[in-house]
mmCIF file of all heavy atoms in Angstrom:
data_model
loop_
_atom_site.group_PDB
_atom_site.id
_atom_site.type_symbol
_atom_site.label_atom_id
_atom_site.label_comp_id
_atom_site.label_asym_id
_atom_site.label_seq_id
_atom_site.Cartn_x
_atom_site.Cartn_y
_atom_site.Cartn_z
ATOM 1 N N SER M 41 237.107 50.853 388.287
ATOM 2 C CA SER M 41 237.091 52.014 387.382
ATOM 3 C C SER M 41 237.255 53.348 388.114
ATOM 4 O O SER M 41 237.397 54.388 387.471
ATOM 5 C CB SER M 41 235.813 52.017 386.536
ATOM 6 O OG SER M 41 234.666 52.022 387.354
ATOM 7 N N GLY M 42 237.210 53.319 389.460
ATOM 8 C CA GLY M 42 237.473 54.545 390.222
ATOM 9 C C GLY M 42 236.248 55.153 390.886
ATOM 10 O O GLY M 42 236.320 56.262 391.424
ATOM 11 N N LYS M 43 235.139 54.419 390.928
ATOM 12 C CA LYS M 43 233.886 54.971 391.466
ATOM 13 C C LYS M 43 234.006 55.308 392.956
ATOM 14 O O LYS M 43 233.646 56.402 393.386
ATOM 15 C CB LYS M 43 232.731 53.973 391.240
ATOM 16 C CG LYS M 43 232.563 53.543 389.790
ATOM 17 C CD LYS M 43 231.421 52.550 389.610
ATOM 18 C CE LYS M 43 231.563 51.240 390.370
ATOM 19 N NZ LYS M 43 232.725 50.400 389.954
ATOM 20 N N SER M 44 234.523 54.342 393.733
ATOM 21 C CA SER M 44 234.652 54.600 395.177
ATOM 22 C C SER M 44 235.664 55.703 395.438
ATOM 23 O O SER M 44 235.454 56.549 396.312
ATOM 24 C CB SER M 44 235.110 53.327 395.913
ATOM 25 O OG SER M 44 234.123 52.345 395.834
ATOM 26 N N THR M 45 236.752 55.695 394.694
ATOM 27 C CA THR M 45 237.765 56.738 394.883
ATOM 28 C C THR M 45 237.163 58.112 394.601
ATOM 29 O O THR M 45 237.443 59.073 395.323
ATOM 30 C CB THR M 45 238.988 56.468 393.976
ATOM 31 O OG1 THR M 45 239.470 55.153 394.261
ATOM 32 C CG2 THR M 45 240.092 57.480 394.234
ATOM 33 N N LEU M 46 236.310 58.189 393.592
ATOM 34 C CA LEU M 46 235.665 59.475 393.300
ATOM 35 C C LEU M 46 234.801 59.928 394.483
ATOM 36 O O LEU M 46 234.914 61.072 394.935
ATOM 37 C CB LEU M 46 234.823 59.374 392.019
ATOM 38 C CG LEU M 46 234.016 60.617 391.652
ATOM 39 C CD1 LEU M 46 234.917 61.850 391.513
ATOM 40 C CD2 LEU M 46 233.229 60.399 390.356
ATOM 41 N N LEU M 47 233.964 59.014 395.009
ATOM 42 C CA LEU M 47 233.139 59.397 396.167
ATOM 43 C C LEU M 47 234.019 59.780 397.343
ATOM 44 O O LEU M 47 233.749 60.755 398.046
ATOM 45 C CB LEU M 47 232.202 58.259 396.592
ATOM 46 C CG LEU M 47 231.012 57.919 395.719
ATOM 47 C CD1 LEU M 47 230.041 57.018 396.492
ATOM 48 C CD2 LEU M 47 230.273 59.150 395.240
ATOM 49 N N ARG M 48 235.089 59.009 397.562
ATOM 50 C CA ARG M 48 235.970 59.278 398.709
ATOM 51 C C ARG M 48 236.724 60.591 398.538
ATOM 52 O O ARG M 48 237.035 61.259 399.528
ATOM 53 C CB ARG M 48 236.925 58.105 398.927
ATOM 54 C CG ARG M 48 236.184 56.831 399.383
ATOM 55 C CD ARG M 48 237.096 55.613 399.390
ATOM 56 N NE ARG M 48 238.187 55.760 400.325
ATOM 57 C CZ ARG M 48 238.099 55.551 401.641
ATOM 58 N NH1 ARG M 48 236.959 55.154 402.162
ATOM 59 N NH2 ARG M 48 239.142 55.727 402.419
ATOM 60 N N CYS M 49 237.011 60.975 397.306
ATOM 61 C CA CYS M 49 237.608 62.300 397.070
ATOM 62 C C CYS M 49 236.575 63.398 397.320
ATOM 63 O O CYS M 49 236.896 64.436 397.899
ATOM 64 C CB CYS M 49 238.137 62.424 395.641
ATOM 65 S SG CYS M 49 239.711 61.606 395.374
ATOM 66 N N ILE M 50 235.335 63.142 396.900
ATOM 67 C CA ILE M 50 234.311 64.174 397.078
ATOM 68 C C ILE M 50 234.107 64.471 398.563
ATOM 69 O O ILE M 50 233.949 65.620 398.953
ATOM 70 C CB ILE M 50 232.979 63.765 396.403
ATOM 71 C CG1 ILE M 50 233.139 63.732 394.875
ATOM 72 C CG2 ILE M 50 231.852 64.739 396.781
ATOM 73 C CD1 ILE M 50 231.923 63.218 394.124
ATOM 74 N N ASN M 51 234.123 63.428 399.405
ATOM 75 C CA ASN M 51 233.925 63.738 400.832
ATOM 76 C C ASN M 51 235.241 63.818 401.608
ATOM 77 O O ASN M 51 235.232 63.833 402.836
ATOM 78 C CB ASN M 51 232.917 62.781 401.481
ATOM 79 C CG ASN M 51 233.462 61.386 401.640
ATOM 80 O OD1 ASN M 51 234.651 61.154 401.421
ATOM 81 N ND2 ASN M 51 232.618 60.460 402.029
ATOM 82 N N LEU M 52 236.335 63.879 400.886
ATOM 83 C CA LEU M 52 237.667 64.116 401.463
ATOM 84 C C LEU M 52 238.166 62.998 402.370
ATOM 85 O O LEU M 52 239.001 63.209 403.229
ATOM 86 C CB LEU M 52 237.714 65.459 402.208
ATOM 87 C CG LEU M 52 237.310 66.686 401.375
ATOM 88 C CD1 LEU M 52 237.366 67.940 402.225
ATOM 89 C CD2 LEU M 52 238.223 66.840 400.163
ATOM 90 N N LEU M 53 237.634 61.783 402.165
ATOM 91 C CA LEU M 53 238.253 60.621 402.815
ATOM 92 C C LEU M 53 239.568 60.312 402.116
ATOM 93 O O LEU M 53 240.448 59.655 402.670
ATOM 94 C CB LEU M 53 237.328 59.397 402.747
ATOM 95 C CG LEU M 53 236.107 59.426 403.657
ATOM 96 C CD1 LEU M 53 235.185 58.253 403.371
ATOM 97 C CD2 LEU M 53 236.521 59.422 405.118
ATOM 98 N N GLU M 54 239.687 60.737 400.876
ATOM 99 C CA GLU M 54 240.963 60.712 400.150
ATOM 100 C C GLU M 54 241.295 62.145 399.764
ATOM 101 O O GLU M 54 240.385 62.929 399.474
ATOM 102 C CB GLU M 54 240.867 59.897 398.852
ATOM 103 C CG GLU M 54 240.517 58.441 399.024
ATOM 104 C CD GLU M 54 241.675 57.594 399.541
ATOM 105 O OE1 GLU M 54 242.795 58.118 399.713
ATOM 106 O OE2 GLU M 54 241.417 56.403 399.771
ATOM 107 N N VAL M 55 242.573 62.463 399.740
ATOM 108 C CA VAL M 55 242.981 63.797 399.312
ATOM 109 C C VAL M 55 243.220 63.756 397.805
ATOM 110 O O VAL M 55 244.070 62.994 397.331
ATOM 111 C CB VAL M 55 244.290 64.224 400.022
ATOM 112 C CG1 VAL M 55 244.662 65.642 399.616
ATOM 113 C CG2 VAL M 55 244.134 64.106 401.527
ATOM 114 N N PRO M 56 242.456 64.526 397.042
ATOM 115 C CA PRO M 56 242.689 64.543 395.594
ATOM 116 C C PRO M 56 244.104 65.012 395.269
ATOM 117 O O PRO M 56 244.693 65.791 396.022
ATOM 118 C CB PRO M 56 241.651 65.561 395.089
ATOM 119 C CG PRO M 56 240.590 65.592 396.135
ATOM 120 C CD PRO M 56 241.307 65.357 397.436
ATOM 121 N N SER M 57 244.652 64.523 394.160
ATOM 122 C CA SER M 57 246.005 64.943 393.755
ATOM 123 C C SER M 57 245.967 66.275 393.017
ATOM 124 O O SER M 57 246.972 66.981 392.940
ATOM 125 C CB SER M 57 246.640 63.891 392.845
ATOM 126 O OG SER M 57 246.524 62.613 393.414
ATOM 127 N N GLY M 58 244.819 66.606 392.441
ATOM 128 C CA GLY M 58 244.713 67.878 391.727
ATOM 129 C C GLY M 58 243.273 68.159 391.368
ATOM 130 O O GLY M 58 242.424 67.263 391.435
ATOM 131 N N GLY M 59 242.993 69.395 390.999
ATOM 132 C CA GLY M 59 241.642 69.771 390.603
ATOM 133 C C GLY M 59 240.940 70.585 391.667
ATOM 134 O O GLY M 59 241.553 70.966 392.667
ATOM 135 N N GLU M 60 239.663 70.834 391.425
ATOM 136 C CA GLU M 60 238.885 71.677 392.332
ATOM 137 C C GLU M 60 237.567 71.001 392.691
ATOM 138 O O GLU M 60 236.980 70.301 391.874
ATOM 139 C CB GLU M 60 238.549 73.020 391.658
ATOM 140 C CG GLU M 60 239.770 73.847 391.309
ATOM 141 C CD GLU M 60 239.394 75.177 390.648
ATOM 142 O OE1 GLU M 60 238.193 75.517 390.587
ATOM 143 O OE2 GLU M 60 240.326 75.855 390.205
ATOM 144 N N ILE M 61 237.133 71.237 393.927
ATOM 145 C CA ILE M 61 235.782 70.857 394.336
ATOM 146 C C ILE M 61 235.119 72.143 394.814
ATOM 147 O O ILE M 61 235.510 72.707 395.840
ATOM 148 C CB ILE M 61 235.793 69.804 395.462
ATOM 149 C CG1 ILE M 61 236.493 68.519 394.997
ATOM 150 C CG2 ILE M 61 234.362 69.507 395.917
ATOM 151 C CD1 ILE M 61 236.626 67.444 396.078
ATOM 152 N N ILE M 62 234.152 72.615 394.042
ATOM 153 C CA ILE M 62 233.516 73.891 394.348
ATOM 154 C C ILE M 62 232.233 73.634 395.131
ATOM 155 O O ILE M 62 231.342 72.906 394.677
ATOM 156 C CB ILE M 62 233.155 74.676 393.056
ATOM 157 C CG1 ILE M 62 234.333 74.726 392.076
ATOM 158 C CG2 ILE M 62 232.640 76.082 393.402
ATOM 159 C CD1 ILE M 62 235.477 75.579 392.488
ATOM 160 N N TYR M 63 232.163 74.236 396.314
ATOM 161 C CA TYR M 63 230.981 74.119 397.172
ATOM 162 C C TYR M 63 230.620 75.521 397.652
ATOM 163 O O TYR M 63 231.477 76.225 398.180
ATOM 164 C CB TYR M 63 231.286 73.195 398.354
ATOM 165 C CG TYR M 63 230.190 73.127 399.386
ATOM 166 C CD1 TYR M 63 228.991 72.459 399.124
ATOM 167 C CD2 TYR M 63 230.346 73.734 400.636
ATOM 168 C CE1 TYR M 63 227.990 72.397 400.077
ATOM 169 C CE2 TYR M 63 229.338 73.670 401.591
ATOM 170 C CZ TYR M 63 228.165 72.998 401.307
ATOM 171 O OH TYR M 63 227.164 72.938 402.251
ATOM 172 N N LYS M 64 229.398 75.909 397.434
ATOM 173 C CA LYS M 64 228.939 77.267 397.766
ATOM 174 C C LYS M 64 229.905 78.324 397.225
ATOM 175 O O LYS M 64 230.307 79.259 397.925
ATOM 176 C CB LYS M 64 228.751 77.430 399.278
ATOM 177 C CG LYS M 64 227.602 76.588 399.844
ATOM 178 C CD LYS M 64 227.217 77.034 401.233
ATOM 179 C CE LYS M 64 226.311 76.060 401.958
ATOM 180 N NZ LYS M 64 224.998 75.829 401.395
ATOM 181 N N GLY M 65 230.343 78.120 395.994
ATOM 182 C CA GLY M 65 231.152 79.118 395.304
ATOM 183 C C GLY M 65 232.628 79.110 395.652
ATOM 184 O O GLY M 65 233.401 79.906 395.118
ATOM 185 N N GLU M 66 233.046 78.218 396.561
ATOM 186 C CA GLU M 66 234.473 78.220 396.936
ATOM 187 C C GLU M 66 235.103 76.861 396.697
ATOM 188 O O GLU M 66 234.458 75.830 396.864
ATOM 189 C CB GLU M 66 234.619 78.598 398.411
ATOM 190 C CG GLU M 66 234.308 80.058 398.658
ATOM 191 C CD GLU M 66 234.440 80.419 400.122
ATOM 192 O OE1 GLU M 66 235.345 79.875 400.788
ATOM 193 O OE2 GLU M 66 233.628 81.235 400.584
ATOM 194 N N ASN M 67 236.384 76.887 396.329
ATOM 195 C CA ASN M 67 237.130 75.641 396.149
ATOM 196 C C ASN M 67 237.562 75.133 397.514
ATOM 197 O O ASN M 67 238.439 75.713 398.156
ATOM 198 C CB ASN M 67 238.357 75.886 395.267
ATOM 199 C CG ASN M 67 239.178 74.615 395.095
ATOM 200 O OD1 ASN M 67 238.705 73.513 395.385
ATOM 201 N ND2 ASN M 67 240.402 74.787 394.635
ATOM 202 N N ILE M 68 236.949 74.026 397.934
ATOM 203 C CA ILE M 68 237.253 73.539 399.284
ATOM 204 C C ILE M 68 238.643 72.908 399.369
ATOM 205 O O ILE M 68 239.117 72.596 400.458
ATOM 206 C CB ILE M 68 236.170 72.563 399.807
ATOM 207 C CG1 ILE M 68 235.954 71.429 398.814
ATOM 208 C CG2 ILE M 68 234.848 73.257 400.043
ATOM 209 C CD1 ILE M 68 236.188 70.124 399.435
ATOM 210 N N LEU M 69 239.312 72.734 398.226
ATOM 211 C CA LEU M 69 240.681 72.185 398.264
ATOM 212 C C LEU M 69 241.733 73.288 398.420
ATOM 213 O O LEU M 69 242.919 72.995 398.547
ATOM 214 C CB LEU M 69 240.960 71.360 396.999
ATOM 215 C CG LEU M 69 240.041 70.147 396.808
ATOM 216 C CD1 LEU M 69 240.360 69.425 395.511
ATOM 217 C CD2 LEU M 69 240.138 69.183 397.983
ATOM 218 N N ASP M 70 241.289 74.543 398.423
ATOM 219 C CA ASP M 70 242.243 75.629 398.710
ATOM 220 C C ASP M 70 242.843 75.420 400.094
ATOM 221 O O ASP M 70 242.127 75.043 401.031
ATOM 222 C CB ASP M 70 241.527 76.990 398.693
ATOM 223 C CG ASP M 70 241.417 77.542 397.273
ATOM 224 O OD1 ASP M 70 242.095 76.984 396.385
ATOM 225 O OD2 ASP M 70 240.647 78.495 397.071
ATOM 226 N N ASP M 71 244.141 75.688 400.214
ATOM 227 C CA ASP M 71 244.863 75.411 401.459
ATOM 228 C C ASP M 71 244.200 76.000 402.703
ATOM 229 O O ASP M 71 244.131 75.360 403.739
ATOM 230 C CB ASP M 71 246.292 75.963 401.376
ATOM 231 C CG ASP M 71 247.157 75.050 400.529
ATOM 232 O OD1 ASP M 71 246.721 73.901 400.306
ATOM 233 O OD2 ASP M 71 248.239 75.483 400.095
ATOM 234 N N ASN M 72 243.726 77.212 402.567
ATOM 235 C CA ASN M 72 243.219 77.885 403.775
ATOM 236 C C ASN M 72 241.712 77.753 403.941
ATOM 237 O O ASN M 72 241.102 78.456 404.723
ATOM 238 C CB ASN M 72 243.632 79.375 403.753
ATOM 239 C CG ASN M 72 243.192 80.025 402.442
ATOM 240 O OD1 ASN M 72 242.492 79.389 401.647
ATOM 241 N ND2 ASN M 72 243.598 81.263 402.219
ATOM 242 N N HIS M 73 241.102 76.816 403.194
ATOM 243 C CA HIS M 73 239.653 76.683 403.300
ATOM 244 C C HIS M 73 239.254 75.832 404.503
ATOM 245 O O HIS M 73 239.847 74.794 404.750
ATOM 246 C CB HIS M 73 239.075 76.082 402.012
ATOM 247 C CG HIS M 73 237.607 76.266 401.909
ATOM 248 N ND1 HIS M 73 236.710 75.405 402.498
ATOM 249 C CD2 HIS M 73 236.861 77.240 401.333
ATOM 250 C CE1 HIS M 73 235.489 75.834 402.271
ATOM 251 N NE2 HIS M 73 235.549 76.942 401.575
ATOM 252 N N ASP M 74 238.260 76.300 405.237
ATOM 253 C CA ASP M 74 237.762 75.536 406.385
ATOM 254 C C ASP M 74 236.804 74.450 405.865
ATOM 255 O O ASP M 74 235.730 74.762 405.359
ATOM 256 C CB ASP M 74 237.035 76.498 407.331
ATOM 257 C CG ASP M 74 236.374 75.760 408.480
ATOM 258 O OD1 ASP M 74 236.666 74.554 408.661
ATOM 259 O OD2 ASP M 74 235.557 76.379 409.184
ATOM 260 N N ILE M 75 237.224 73.202 406.013
ATOM 261 C CA ILE M 75 236.432 72.127 405.417
ATOM 262 C C ILE M 75 235.335 71.591 406.350
ATOM 263 O O ILE M 75 234.560 70.734 405.963
ATOM 264 C CB ILE M 75 237.326 70.948 404.944
ATOM 265 C CG1 ILE M 75 238.125 70.388 406.105
ATOM 266 C CG2 ILE M 75 238.230 71.379 403.796
ATOM 267 C CD1 ILE M 75 238.883 69.120 405.755
ATOM 268 N N CYS M 76 235.277 72.109 407.585
ATOM 269 C CA CYS M 76 234.310 71.569 408.552
ATOM 270 C C CYS M 76 232.870 71.727 408.063
ATOM 271 O O CYS M 76 232.092 70.778 408.088
ATOM 272 C CB CYS M 76 234.457 72.253 409.898
ATOM 273 S SG CYS M 76 235.935 71.725 410.738
ATOM 274 N N LEU M 77 232.546 72.920 407.605
ATOM 275 C CA LEU M 77 231.180 73.190 407.153
ATOM 276 C C LEU M 77 230.819 72.266 405.986
ATOM 277 O O LEU M 77 229.733 71.703 405.922
ATOM 278 C CB LEU M 77 231.037 74.651 406.719
ATOM 279 C CG LEU M 77 229.662 75.015 406.176
ATOM 280 C CD1 LEU M 77 228.617 74.987 407.296
ATOM 281 C CD2 LEU M 77 229.672 76.397 405.515
ATOM 282 N N TYR M 78 231.784 72.133 405.069
ATOM 283 C CA TYR M 78 231.578 71.270 403.915
ATOM 284 C C TYR M 78 231.278 69.836 404.358
ATOM 285 O O TYR M 78 230.297 69.225 403.926
ATOM 286 C CB TYR M 78 232.828 71.315 403.030
ATOM 287 C CG TYR M 78 232.802 70.372 401.855
ATOM 288 C CD1 TYR M 78 231.965 70.594 400.782
ATOM 289 C CD2 TYR M 78 233.637 69.249 401.827
ATOM 290 C CE1 TYR M 78 231.946 69.727 399.695
ATOM 291 C CE2 TYR M 78 233.629 68.383 400.752
ATOM 292 C CZ TYR M 78 232.782 68.617 399.695
ATOM 293 O OH TYR M 78 232.759 67.754 398.636
ATOM 294 N N ARG M 79 232.106 69.307 405.255
ATOM 295 C CA ARG M 79 231.941 67.910 405.662
ATOM 296 C C ARG M 79 230.644 67.665 406.412
ATOM 297 O O ARG M 79 230.049 66.597 406.298
ATOM 298 C CB ARG M 79 233.142 67.456 406.482
ATOM 299 C CG ARG M 79 234.416 67.518 405.653
ATOM 300 C CD ARG M 79 235.499 66.687 406.217
ATOM 301 N NE ARG M 79 235.201 65.268 406.011
ATOM 302 C CZ ARG M 79 236.102 64.328 406.196
ATOM 303 N NH1 ARG M 79 237.306 64.640 406.566
ATOM 304 N NH2 ARG M 79 235.775 63.071 405.990
ATOM 305 N N LYS M 80 230.205 68.654 407.179
ATOM 306 C CA LYS M 80 228.928 68.519 407.896
ATOM 307 C C LYS M 80 227.775 68.360 406.915
ATOM 308 O O LYS M 80 226.738 67.807 407.249
ATOM 309 C CB LYS M 80 228.653 69.792 408.701
ATOM 310 C CG LYS M 80 229.280 69.824 410.055
ATOM 311 C CD LYS M 80 228.804 71.084 410.762
ATOM 312 C CE LYS M 80 229.872 71.574 411.702
ATOM 313 N NZ LYS M 80 229.557 72.883 412.281
ATOM 314 N N ASN M 81 227.949 68.911 405.739
ATOM 315 C CA ASN M 81 226.855 68.932 404.772
ATOM 316 C C ASN M 81 226.885 67.786 403.771
ATOM 317 O O ASN M 81 226.120 67.773 402.816
ATOM 318 C CB ASN M 81 226.833 70.280 404.053
ATOM 319 C CG ASN M 81 226.193 71.330 404.933
ATOM 320 O OD1 ASN M 81 225.036 71.192 405.286
ATOM 321 N ND2 ASN M 81 226.954 72.311 405.331
ATOM 322 N N LEU M 82 227.801 66.859 403.992
ATOM 323 C CA LEU M 82 227.893 65.673 403.137
ATOM 324 C C LEU M 82 227.625 64.436 403.966
ATOM 325 O O LEU M 82 228.276 64.227 404.976
ATOM 326 C CB LEU M 82 229.332 65.526 402.619
ATOM 327 C CG LEU M 82 229.759 66.358 401.455
ATOM 328 C CD1 LEU M 82 230.994 65.869 400.850
ATOM 329 C CD2 LEU M 82 228.882 66.339 400.503
ATOM 330 N N GLY M 83 226.681 63.628 403.515
ATOM 331 C CA GLY M 83 226.455 62.349 404.184
ATOM 332 C C GLY M 83 227.062 61.230 403.363
ATOM 333 O O GLY M 83 227.285 61.389 402.159
ATOM 334 N N MET M 84 227.355 60.110 404.018
ATOM 335 C CA MET M 84 227.915 58.973 403.275
ATOM 336 C C MET M 84 227.306 57.685 403.816
ATOM 337 O O MET M 84 227.213 57.499 405.030
ATOM 338 C CB MET M 84 229.442 58.965 403.449
ATOM 339 C CG MET M 84 230.139 57.833 402.733
ATOM 340 S SD MET M 84 230.746 58.342 401.102
ATOM 341 C CE MET M 84 231.606 56.849 400.594
ATOM 342 N N VAL M 85 226.911 56.828 402.903
ATOM 343 C CA VAL M 85 226.420 55.497 403.264
ATOM 344 C C VAL M 85 227.331 54.489 402.582
ATOM 345 O O VAL M 85 227.541 54.551 401.365
ATOM 346 C CB VAL M 85 224.949 55.310 402.826
ATOM 347 C CG1 VAL M 85 224.491 53.880 403.051
ATOM 348 C CG2 VAL M 85 224.039 56.279 403.588
ATOM 349 N N PHE M 86 227.901 53.589 403.382
ATOM 350 C CA PHE M 86 228.921 52.660 402.892
ATOM 351 C C PHE M 86 228.323 51.284 402.614
ATOM 352 O O PHE M 86 227.322 50.889 403.209
ATOM 353 C CB PHE M 86 230.026 52.497 403.940
ATOM 354 C CG PHE M 86 230.748 53.769 404.291
ATOM 355 C CD1 PHE M 86 230.294 54.587 405.328
ATOM 356 C CD2 PHE M 86 231.888 54.159 403.604
ATOM 357 C CE1 PHE M 86 230.959 55.766 405.660
ATOM 358 C CE2 PHE M 86 232.559 55.325 403.928
ATOM 359 C CZ PHE M 86 232.096 56.128 404.957
ATOM 360 N N GLN M 87 229.022 50.543 401.787
ATOM 361 C CA GLN M 87 228.656 49.156 401.508
ATOM 362 C C GLN M 87 228.558 48.335 402.810
ATOM 363 O O GLN M 87 227.649 47.544 402.987
ATOM 364 C CB GLN M 87 229.746 48.585 400.607
ATOM 365 C CG GLN M 87 229.450 47.260 400.012
ATOM 366 C CD GLN M 87 230.557 46.853 399.028
ATOM 367 O OE1 GLN M 87 231.273 47.687 398.499
ATOM 368 N NE2 GLN M 87 230.680 45.580 398.798
ATOM 369 N N GLN M 88 229.532 48.548 403.702
ATOM 370 C CA GLN M 88 229.613 47.736 404.937
ATOM 371 C C GLN M 88 228.943 48.401 406.130
ATOM 372 O O GLN M 88 229.310 48.136 407.271
ATOM 373 C CB GLN M 88 231.081 47.420 405.257
ATOM 374 C CG GLN M 88 231.787 46.571 404.203
ATOM 375 C CD GLN M 88 231.211 45.154 404.090
ATOM 376 O OE1 GLN M 88 230.480 44.705 404.974
ATOM 377 N NE2 GLN M 88 231.523 44.458 403.010
ATOM 378 N N PHE M 89 228.011 49.296 405.899
ATOM 379 C CA PHE M 89 227.167 49.955 406.919
ATOM 380 C C PHE M 89 227.946 50.886 407.864
ATOM 381 O O PHE M 89 227.517 51.988 408.134
ATOM 382 C CB PHE M 89 226.359 48.953 407.769
ATOM 383 C CG PHE M 89 225.950 47.702 407.041
ATOM 384 C CD1 PHE M 89 226.312 46.440 407.496
ATOM 385 C CD2 PHE M 89 225.209 47.777 405.859
ATOM 386 C CE1 PHE M 89 225.942 45.292 406.804
ATOM 387 C CE2 PHE M 89 224.830 46.637 405.166
ATOM 388 C CZ PHE M 89 225.207 45.391 405.640
ATOM 389 N N ASN M 90 229.080 50.394 408.407
ATOM 390 C CA ASN M 90 229.895 51.178 409.353
ATOM 391 C C ASN M 90 229.091 51.741 410.522
ATOM 392 O O ASN M 90 229.283 52.886 410.918
ATOM 393 C CB ASN M 90 230.624 52.330 408.626
ATOM 394 C CG ASN M 90 231.653 51.822 407.630
ATOM 395 O OD1 ASN M 90 231.655 50.633 407.295
ATOM 396 N ND2 ASN M 90 232.522 52.680 407.159
ATOM 397 N N LEU M 91 228.198 50.919 411.080
ATOM 398 C CA LEU M 91 227.483 51.360 412.287
ATOM 399 C C LEU M 91 228.411 51.242 413.496
ATOM 400 O O LEU M 91 229.397 50.507 413.459
ATOM 401 C CB LEU M 91 226.241 50.495 412.513
ATOM 402 C CG LEU M 91 225.128 50.633 411.474
ATOM 403 C CD1 LEU M 91 223.982 49.683 411.787
ATOM 404 C CD2 LEU M 91 224.620 52.068 411.384
#
Side-chain angles (χ1 to χ4, degrees):
S41 57
K43 305 180 299 296
S44 294
T45 304
L46 176 57
L47 288 194
R48 293 171 63 81
C49 282
I50 293 175
N51 71 9
L52 304 179
L53 287 173
E54 299 285 356
V55 183
S57 310
E60 297 180 7
I61 299 177
I62 312 289
Y63 173 72
K64 293 195 193 296
E66 289 179 36
N67 178 15
I68 54 122
L69 299 178
D70 276 348
D71 283 344
N72 53 7
H73 196 276
D74 175 12
I75 58 172
C76 287
L77 178 69
Y78 175 71
R79 298 199 72 167
K80 274 185 211 172
N81 281 299
L82 280 195
M84 180 95 176
V85 173
F86 300 90
Q87 190 175 337
Q88 297 294 345
F89 328 122
N90 294 14
L91 293 178

